[in-house]
Amino acid sequence: MSTLLLALGLVMIVEGLAYALAPSLIERMLEALRAMPESAVRQVGLLIVVSGLILVWLAWQMGATFG
């Protein structure tokens, strides 16, 4: 459970920094997402999930412990 809380906290920090440091960039990105077809947005989301899984796997291979 502590690892899950750590991961969630790290995601919140990164997301919060993006909004705090570049709010206009976030607005432009949201406008670009609104202009994209739903299928393209789903593909981008799937690509991000797969990339995250690869990063977690690499961290595990490098010796990170989960739990």
Side-chain angles (χ1 to χ4, degrees), residues 26-41:
I26 298 296
E27 284 294 322
R28 288 196 309 262
M29 287 176 55
L30 289 173
E31 289 171 10
L33 279 173
R34 281 188 213 109
M36 292 173 65
E38 187 175 314
S39 61
V41 175

Side-chain angles (χ1 to χ4, degrees), residues 13-31:
I13 289 169
V14 171
E15 289 284 329
L17 280 173
Y19 282 99
L21 297 176
S24 61
L25 177 63
I26 298 296
E27 284 294 322
R28 288 196 309 262
M29 287 176 55
L30 289 173
E31 289 171 10

Side-chain angles (χ1 to χ4, degrees), residues 3 10-11 29 31 64:
T3 304
L10 289 172
V11 168
M29 287 176 55
E31 289 171 10

